[in-house]
């Protein structure tokens, strides 16, 4: 089979990204324009601002991806774009541009689920390293600012199929990192800062109760397949992170931490790009201990539940992907605990853990081989699920 070059476009949240990937196995170029600076003053992503930033960035970002790949518009074989889930206005910027390009160039267009993209980020990099050995079923934990989802992935021919066997009932894990960082005056996004500071505090200082999920999810739990149900009954492997965020708030209040938090918020706001030393200079021991304990509780919950699910469904391989997969303690804990169970675990490199378009172009490759192209009237699906 001749090499297939796919130009991927991603604009689901606050990164405008474009990449060229060869045959799902080699990143030829990968450009990510992050809007963090735009959203930072608001402590989170502002959807209207995100759409406007995508509009400004999409053309130069795509041009850069082609220039870095030394390719012309004509020399790519197909275009791929994120259809959802994500912010509707942001998704539409990428989709409209990709449709126009595909139409003008007379190239096939492939619609990709963002979550499938995160899963294929792992596969892409393993193939790039020369690792073609992969045993199914694969259990994939997609853990980011918007998602904490467990998928059981199988392969049918070149195509992948997915079954969702667990998800968060409330906040995503990355959202909990972001909200706790905001509460403690550490800015946005919270994950990378908490990751760096946690090593400087005592993770045993504050005890957090593990979230107990007793009730079945009536709201929107997709029914488990017959085969899965036979395996482990009706059990799902759901997560919940709004409780720990409230527990951190209560701890802050009962320990009178507000004055020091406000002082830190004010001090850090004066520094354009705070470095670790700046954070440390303005963070007292009580806050460092709280951060370390919060991260430890998050990591134990994510790892414990994922490995329980892996045992129950007899997973042969584990993927951990999405923005939170960049977390150092999470990686170490997964590596240690999965090794004890003889389960191979793979992560994307840090740049490919957070949102990017290489993962979209990689996930599009099996669809290209299957001729699974999008009709030109397809649209954004903000709440898109991954299944089938
Ligand atoms: O995958 P991503 O870039 O965007 C979404 O699809 O949501 O993930 C962003 C999320 C944010 O919540 C951010 O705080 C979190 O990933 N994150 C981290 C780390 N780096 C990013 N969380 C914990 N530790 C990190 N090192
Ligand atoms: Zn993402």
């Amino acid at each position: 089979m001749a090499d297939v070059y796919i130009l991927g476009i991603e604009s689901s949240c606050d990164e405008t990204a474009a990449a060229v990937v060869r045959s799902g196995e080699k990143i030829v170029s990968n450009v990510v324009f992050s809007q963090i600076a735009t959203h930072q003053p608001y402590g989170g992503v502002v959807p209207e601002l995100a759409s406007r930033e995508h509009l400004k960035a999409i053309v130069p970002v795509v041009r850069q991806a082609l220039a870095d790949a030394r390719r012309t518009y004509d020399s790519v074989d197909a275009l791929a774009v994120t259809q959802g889930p994500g912010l509707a206005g942001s998704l539409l910027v990428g989709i409209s541009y990709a449709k126009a390009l595909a139409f003008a160039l007379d190239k096939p267009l492939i619609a990709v689920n963002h979550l499938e993209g995160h899963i294929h980020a792992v596969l892409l990099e393993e193939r790039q390293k020369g690792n073609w050995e992969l045993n199914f079923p694969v259990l994939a934990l997609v853990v980011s600012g918007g998602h904490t989802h467990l998928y059981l992935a199988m392969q049918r021919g070149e195509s992948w199929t997915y079954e969702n066997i667990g998800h968060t009932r409330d906040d995503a894990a990355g959202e909990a990192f972001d909200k706790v960082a905001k509460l403690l005056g550490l800015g946005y996004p919270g994950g990378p800062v908490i990751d760096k500071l946690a090593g400087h505090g005592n993770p045993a200082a504050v005890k957090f109760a593990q979230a107990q999920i007793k009730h079945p999810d009536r709201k929107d739990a997709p029914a488990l397949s017959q085969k899965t149900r036979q395996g482990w009954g009706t059990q799902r492997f759901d997560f919940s992170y709004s409780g720990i965020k409230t527990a951190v708030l209560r701890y802050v209040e009962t320990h009178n931490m507000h004055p020091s938090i406000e002082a830190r918020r004010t001090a850090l706001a004066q520094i354009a790009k705070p470095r670790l030393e700046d954070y440390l200079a303005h963070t007292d021991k009580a806050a460092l201990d709280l951060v370390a304990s919060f991260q430890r509780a998050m990591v134990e919950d994510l790892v414990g539940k994922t490995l329980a699910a892996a045992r129950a469904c007899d997973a042969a391989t584990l993927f951990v992907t999405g923005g939170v997969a960049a977390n150092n303690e999470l990686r170490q804990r997964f590596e240690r605990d999965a090794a004890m169970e003889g389960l191979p675990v793979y992560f994307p490199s840090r740049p490919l853990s957070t949102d990017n378009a290489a993962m979209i172009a990689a996930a599009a490759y099996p669809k290209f081989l299957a001729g699974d192209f999008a009709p030109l009237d397809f649209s954004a699906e903000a709440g898109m699920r991954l299944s089938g």
Side-chain angles (χ1 to χ4, degrees):
M1 170 98 198
D3 287 339
V4 174
Y5 288 86
I6 298 182
L7 169 65
I9 296 176
E10 151 68 35
S11 68
S12 66
C13 190
D14 60 344
E15 263 101 19
T16 319
V20 176
V21 173
R22 193 188 72 212
S23 306
E25 62 176 63
K26 174 93 181 75
I27 302 173
V28 189
S29 68
N30 186 26
V31 178
V32 180
F33 173 75
S34 168
Q35 306 176 359
I36 284 179
T38 304
H39 302 289
Q40 223 148 24
Y42 306 94
V45 178
V46 183
E48 179 60 26
L49 292 182
S51 311
R52 276 192 239 168
E53 291 292 306
H54 284 305
L55 275 172
K56 276 194 252 167
I58 190 94
V59 175
V61 163
V62 170
R63 279 196 188 140
Q64 190 64 47
L66 285 170
D68 290 357
R70 296 176 193 280
R71 301 236 131 220
T72 58
Y73 286 106
D74 273 328
S75 68
V76 296
D77 297 292
L79 288 97
V81 67
T82 306
Q83 183 177 11
L87 301 168
S90 294
L91 287 164
L92 276 172
V93 175
I95 291 173
S96 311
Y97 188 59
K99 274 188 192 177
L101 265 185
F103 185 70
L105 300 170
D106 197 20
K107 304 272 181 194
L109 178 60
I110 299 158
V112 175
N113 184 307
H114 181 83
L115 301 170
E116 187 174 17
H118 275 302
I119 293 171
H120 279 261
V122 184
L123 189 69
L124 164 61
E125 289 196 302
E126 286 308 311
R127 291 192 165 166
Q128 194 158 260
K129 283 182 223 156
N131 176 12
W132 289 82
E133 289 291 310
L134 185 65
N135 293 317
F136 285 87
V138 171
L139 181 67
L141 170 67
V142 183
V143 59
S144 69
H147 299 91
T148 307
H149 280 49
L150 277 173
Y151 294 100
L152 199 55
M154 307 288 291
Q155 204 177 23
R156 205 178 291 141
E158 278 296 332
S159 304
W160 285 51
T161 61
Y162 306 90
E163 180 165 16
N164 175 236
I165 62 162
H167 63 182
T168 179
R169 297 285 185 91
D170 39 56
D171 292 354
E175 199 178 344
F177 273 91
D178 294 338
K179 286 178 176 169
V180 164
K182 189 175 179 185
L183 172 68
L184 297 178
L186 291 168
Y188 172 84
V193 186
I194 290 181
D195 191 354
K196 287 194 200 91
L197 291 181
H200 297 267
N202 173 9
V206 186
K207 293 268 172 281
F208 292 107
Q210 273 226 345
Q212 300 289 329
I213 298 170
K214 298 197 184 79
H215 306 290
D217 189 357
R218 284 185 215 92
K219 207 172 52 186
D220 62 351
L224 294 176
S225 70
Q226 189 65 32
K227 188 164 156 280
T228 307
R229 231 179 295 123
Q230 279 162 2
W232 68 88
T234 52
Q235 190 184 359
R236 289 178 56 84
F237 300 93
D238 285 349
F239 305 88
S240 165
Y241 296 117
S242 79
I244 190 165
K245 172 195 66 188
T246 314
V248 171
L249 175 63
R250 213 168 293 132
Y251 188 91
V252 162
E253 281 166 356
T254 53
H255 291 76
N256 195 27
M257 292 170 77
H258 280 304
S260 62
I261 289 173
E262 283 319 312
R264 172 163 52 250
R265 205 188 302 282
T266 311
L268 290 175
Q270 322 280 319
I271 307 169
K273 272 200 179 152
R275 291 159 309 157
L276 177 60
E277 304 84 81
D278 299 316
Y279 286 110
L280 286 172
H282 296 287
T283 310
D284 50 14
K285 183 171 180 325
L288 288 173
D289 286 352
L290 183 55
V291 160
S293 303
F294 162 76
Q295 181 173 286
R296 175 62 53 88
M298 293 295 294
V299 165
E300 282 182 349
D301 190 80
L302 284 164
V303 175
K305 287 202 178 121
T306 303
L307 290 181
R311 281 191 291 273
C313 61
D314 239 342
T317 306
L318 186 60
F319 281 11
V320 182
T321 184
V324 182
N327 186 271
N328 285 294
E329 189 176 347
L330 187 77
R331 284 178 181 240
Q332 282 160 14
R333 186 62 75 100
F334 259 121
E335 262 158 12
R336 189 195 77 183
D337 291 5
M340 286 196 298
E341 308 203 6
L343 184 65
V345 55
Y346 300 104
F347 308 87
S349 64
R350 281 180 181 75
L352 249 62
S353 296
T354 47
D355 289 349
N356 64 85
M359 68 186 198
I360 302 302
Y365 180 62
K367 297 183 199 297
F368 179 90
L369 295 181
D372 182 4
F373 303 128
L376 272 183
D377 63 352
F378 88 99
S379 194
E381 224 184 285
M384 193 174 185
R385 289 178 190 276
L386 177 58
S387 62

